[in-house]
Amino acid sequence: MTRKTSHIRNFSIIAHIDHGKSTLADQFLLKTGTITEREFQNQLLDSMDLERERGITIRMHPVTIYYRGQGSGVRGQEEVTYELNLIDTPGHVDFSYEVSRSLAACEGVILLVDAFQGVQAQTVANAYLAMEHDLKIVPVLNKIDLQITRADAVIAEMETALGIDPAEVLRASGKAGIGIDEVLQAIVDRVPTPPGNPDDPLRALVYNSHFDVYRGVVIYVRVKEGRIAKGMKIKLMSTGNEHDVLEIGQFRPGMVPCSELIAGQVGYVMAQIKTLSDVHIGDTVTEAERAAVQALPGYKEPKPMVFSGLYPVNNHEFEDLREALGKLKLNDSSFTYQPENSEGLGFGFRCGFLGMLHREIIQQRIERDSGLDLVTTAPNVTYEVLKRDGEIVSIDNPQKVPDGGQIEEFREPIVKASFLVPSENIGDIMKLCTDRRGVFIRTEYLSPTRAIIVYEMPLAEVIYDLYDKLKSVTHGYGTMDYDILGFRAADLVRLDILVHGKRVDALSIIVHRAFADQRGRKLVKKLRGEIDRHMFEIALQAAIGSRIIARETIAPMRKNVTAKCYGGDITRKRKLWAKQAAGKKRMKQVGQVEIPQEAFLAVLESDQ
């Protein structure tokens, strides 16, 4: 293990989805001998089943590699062993918070761009994120082994969109292993050495963590100042709790113990931390005896923008779900949850997510890791309501919307969405955004064939299916990224679904008044096909306040009570029909409508 901070480099790989981050990271491990040819497999750092199945990175993955490169020695230029700490990051817009966390632990980044697809929406967003963190950018053109590339045109795009000097761009192929040594040497030459004095009081940034069943909470740290060693008593500055360090180590790529970590190094710490709530991402670890005076800046808390209810199919699994959510929260601080109760679905949790993919991933991780079957309610974004008494209320659940008479102003979150699309699809994208209440801002041309279109539009219109529609109209070539701008007033209403005169809280949604009738008709029509017929008539209604805007009726099951009447006076049949009608009327007054679980699932699915 190196002991000089001048021989340490901390860097991250940032890029758009599917531009080859994980493949390049695999080649780094192979070229430096961190893994053998026998251990090598594609997406080695993507350890989750979900990541390997989807071919995307969901969680950041740290790894320490040792590289013998050219450096300044006692006798001038000579071979020096460098410790390179790589943090592989996700590329999807929903996981941009993971990217910002990893960048806080680095001094430089590799900005990876596909030699054919070129600069994409997330390439621009991540590059600006790196610039905000004041990191050194090493631009790399990946996939140069493809039969068809646009290398020169893509480098020109990088210069136009990001101001990158074409002379600094390296050409490589993660798949074919071309140019890997040049990229590693560029990291050594261009990325600055980490600041910090190993003799100062310990200050280490907690940038991630996970829960180990046998050893408790494992925290991932970047040591900014001082050193941390086995047996030391450490203190978590946010809570003041003290713990004895049982083991420290680095990811190579598995967890390998070491004797100490000094300023500039990245690794993990185990200190018998048993309670999940004791660890906060962005916290500062210091020494108990010689504590640092000031904590590190940490992270800006991510604000979940999409909310949805998670309910176990079997209500007795509520506590199992609570435990699963607690473990998941430990290494995903952008995810939030709190208990809630629904008449239709029983006990569950109101969960906050960064986006729709984030929501889908969380649900699948819980179902796989814990073996639970879950029902998710219709997703909605966070709204603000200004009440007539001046109070501003944050609404993450349609059930919390006050009565119409109390509302002075209903506000919704607005985003600035950037679309990077082929020039021939500009008209399609503009129509797509206009239909979703978008306001045009500007168009920039990266090249004669590609342009960036910027719109301001409601987040609620973005999260449902805009990404899918974008891919559809651009034949897969369009990409998007968005930033939250804030809240603005809009004509919004709560749409309720009434079954047999009773409001079903799990099916309530917040919609724009212009789309309320359409959404209401669609919901009740779908629900009619899912609820079984009862012995009495069932009315399905969509309502805004006390105004009914759509209705469907489920006809009752009828028994032929006159089947045994052969001939005779019609009055006998009329008596039997009247008696049946009276019975159905009584039944309608006291009868309960059974709404099957499948009905909730089908309606919520169709609403998305």
Side-chain angles (χ1 to χ4, degrees):
M1 179 185 291
T2 182
R3 283 281 174 260
K4 288 186 179 178
T5 54
S6 59
H7 293 166
I8 300 172
R9 301 288 186 274
N10 297 313
F11 72 101
S12 187
I13 304 176
I14 56 174
H16 191 76
I17 312 159
D18 203 31
H19 278 204
K21 296 181 297 298
S22 298
T23 308
L24 185 68
D26 293 344
Q27 281 294 341
F28 286 166
L29 299 181
L30 195 59
K31 284 279 184 184
T32 56
T34 308
I35 57 169
T36 63
E37 288 275 5
R38 186 164 169 269
E39 295 170 316
F40 178 77
Q41 59 173 323
N42 290 332
Q43 287 179 269
L44 185 82
L45 294 180
D46 292 346
S47 53
M48 285 168 56
D49 290 342
L50 272 174
E51 291 178 312
R52 306 189 69 79
E53 284 170 21
R54 289 171 172 259
I56 60 171
T57 302
I58 295 168
R59 285 197 319 226
M60 59 169 75
H61 297 274
V63 63
T64 300
I65 55 181
Y66 292 99
Y67 170 68
R68 284 194 66 76
Q70 291 297 314
S72 310
V74 182
R75 297 180 293 279
Q77 283 293 108
E78 59 181 44
E79 272 209 347
V80 177
T81 299
Y82 289 92
E83 179 182 304
L84 308 181
N85 292 306
L86 155 68
I87 300 171
D88 186 22
T89 58
H92 195 279
V93 62
D94 278 15
F95 302 113
S96 56
Y97 177 66
E98 293 266 322
V99 178
S100 69
R101 274 166 50 191
S102 66
L103 295 188
C106 301
E107 280 74 46
V109 295
I110 291 175
L111 180 65
L112 208 60
V113 181
D114 189 302
F116 177 72
Q117 293 184 12
V119 174
Q120 300 289 324
Q122 278 295 104
T123 313
V124 177
N126 286 336
Y128 284 142
L129 206 56
M131 291 172 191
E132 284 173 23
H133 284 76
D134 202 22
L135 303 180
K136 176 64 183 175
I137 295 175
V138 180
V140 177
L141 193 68
N142 194 27
K143 304 188 184 181
I144 60 163
D145 60 318
L146 292 174
Q147 289 185 341
I148 304 172
T149 61
R150 303 185 303 115
D152 295 335
V154 171
I155 290 172
E157 284 178 11
M158 293 167 76
E159 184 180 15
T160 304
L162 305 169
I164 285 169
D165 183 355
E168 291 187 357
V169 180
L170 301 168
R171 302 185 185 215
S173 168
K175 192 170 184 181
I178 301 167
I180 304 301
D181 283 320
E182 289 79 357
V183 176
L184 288 166
Q185 187 60 47
I187 293 165
V188 168
D189 295 339
R190 301 186 199 177
V191 175
T193 57
N197 186 347
D199 299 321
D200 285 347
L202 170 67
R203 287 204 304 172
L205 175 72
V206 178
Y207 70 88
N208 204 358
S209 59
H210 79 263
F211 186 79
D212 186 291
V213 179
Y214 302 104
R215 296 186 280 188
V217 181
V218 180
I219 55 176
Y220 299 18
V221 296
R222 156 70 201 274
V223 184
K224 296 282 189 178
E225 292 164 3
R227 62 184 72 230
I228 185 166
K230 187 176 177 179
M232 179 186 284
K233 187 180 275 294
I234 58 169
K235 181 166 81 170
L236 298 169
M237 292 186 78
S238 67
T239 59
N241 293 340
E242 296 183 2
H243 305 275
D244 292 316
V245 176
L246 299 181
E247 182 181 311
I248 58 170
Q250 293 177 306
F251 300 95
R252 296 209 305 249
M255 292 163 68
V256 178
C258 62
S259 57
E260 68 172 0
L261 295 172
I262 65 164
Q265 289 188 299
V266 176
Y268 67 88
V269 177
M270 295 184 195
Q272 277 192 323
I273 304 171
K274 298 297 182 189
T275 312
L276 303 174
S277 56
D278 281 354
V279 176
H280 302 284
I281 303 298
D283 198 358
T284 302
V285 175
T286 189
E287 194 176 348
E289 274 79 32
R290 198 168 64 122
V293 178
Q294 192 174 3
L296 294 164
Y299 299 108
K300 184 181 174 184
E301 274 295 308
K303 196 173 179 184
M305 293 310 295
V306 177
F307 285 84
S308 184
L310 277 184
Y311 293 84
V313 171
N314 299 317
N315 266 327
H316 66 269
E317 293 178 335
F318 175 75
E319 286 302 325
D320 296 336
L321 179 58
R322 186 197 295 273
E323 189 180 334
L325 292 173
K327 288 179 181 176
L328 202 59
K329 168 75 176 168
L330 186 64
N331 64 5
D332 188 351
S333 56
S334 56
F335 164 66
T336 63
Y337 67 96
Q338 60 184 54
E340 72 169 1
N341 183 24
S342 161
E343 284 181 29
L345 298 170
F347 292 98
F349 292 90
R350 191 80 189 160
C351 302
F353 311 93
L354 296 178
M356 294 296 278
L357 178 68
H358 189 208
R359 169 179 175 265
E360 192 181 328
I361 294 293
I362 291 284
Q363 183 183 350
Q364 289 188 8
R365 283 178 68 181
I366 291 170
E367 287 180 340
R368 288 191 182 199
D369 296 347
S370 309
L372 299 172
D373 289 325
L374 301 177
V375 176
T376 55
T377 63
N380 63 274
V381 299
T382 312
Y383 297 90
E384 275 186 0
V385 169
L386 173 64
K387 296 170 75 172
R388 293 195 186 279
D389 60 4
E391 183 188 358
I392 295 177
V393 183
S394 183
I395 306 292
D396 59 20
N397 188 337
Q399 297 169 45
K400 295 181 181 176
V401 177
D403 293 333
Q406 298 179 32
I407 299 174
E408 179 69 33
E409 193 174 75
F410 214 142
R411 299 167 183 166
E412 64 182 343
I414 301 294
V415 299
K416 184 175 78 173
S418 303
F419 303 90
L420 208 154
V421 297
S423 302
E424 64 265 23
N425 297 123
I426 289 177
D428 299 322
I429 297 302
M430 294 180 94
K431 183 178 185 310
L432 205 61
C433 295
T434 306
D435 291 346
R436 284 164 171 72
R437 300 187 283 133
V439 177
F440 176 75
I441 304 298
R442 66 177 184 274
T443 301
E444 296 174 16
Y445 280 89
L446 283 181
S447 69
T449 57
R450 303 176 75 226
I452 295 176
I453 306 170
V454 181
Y455 266 84
E456 286 183 6
M457 55 202 306
L459 178 63
E461 303 290 344
V462 172
I463 63 167
Y464 290 114
D465 62 350
L466 184 62
Y467 187 73
D468 294 337
K469 290 279 194 292
L470 167 71
K471 287 295 180 186
S472 178
V473 299
T474 61
H475 307 290
Y477 288 106
T479 56
M480 68 173 279
D481 179 59
Y482 60 83
D483 295 311
I484 307 291
L485 295 178
F487 289 87
R488 289 184 196 163
D491 189 10
L492 302 169
V493 292
R494 185 180 75 190
L495 177 65
D496 293 323
I497 300 297
L498 284 74
V499 176
H500 197 48
K502 287 181 66 178
R503 182 163 71 94
V504 182
D505 53 6
L507 297 178
S508 295
I509 52 173
I510 297 170
V511 294
H512 193 272
R513 195 181 295 274
F515 305 124
D517 289 19
Q518 177 190 342
R519 291 285 285 279
R521 282 195 297 272
K522 183 181 170 188
L523 278 172
V524 292
K525 192 172 182 182
K526 183 73 178 174
L527 199 59
R528 182 189 172 193
E530 295 297 331
I531 296 179
D532 293 331
R533 291 172 71 186
H534 287 51
M535 294 302 292
F536 50 90
E537 180 183 282
I538 301 171
L540 306 175
Q541 297 165 308
I544 298 171
S546 58
R547 185 169 71 89
I548 305 299
I549 59 170
R551 172 177 171 134
E552 290 281 342
T553 304
I554 300 175
M557 289 190 289
R558 297 183 72 89
K559 182 182 177 184
N560 188 356
V561 292
T562 61
K564 293 180 181 178
C565 296
Y566 300 105
D569 190 358
I570 188 69
T571 54
R572 186 178 171 207
K573 289 185 178 181
R574 283 179 181 157
K575 281 180 183 176
L576 289 169
W577 286 332
K579 191 176 178 183
Q580 183 185 42
K584 287 194 178 294
K585 189 176 180 182
R586 283 197 307 274
M587 202 182 291
K588 189 175 180 179
Q589 289 169 350
V590 299
Q592 294 292 318
V593 179
E594 291 292 326
I595 306 177
Q597 201 86 8
E598 293 74 22
F600 283 102
L601 287 169
V603 172
L604 298 174
E605 196 174 290
S606 74
D607 185 51
Q608 293 169 35

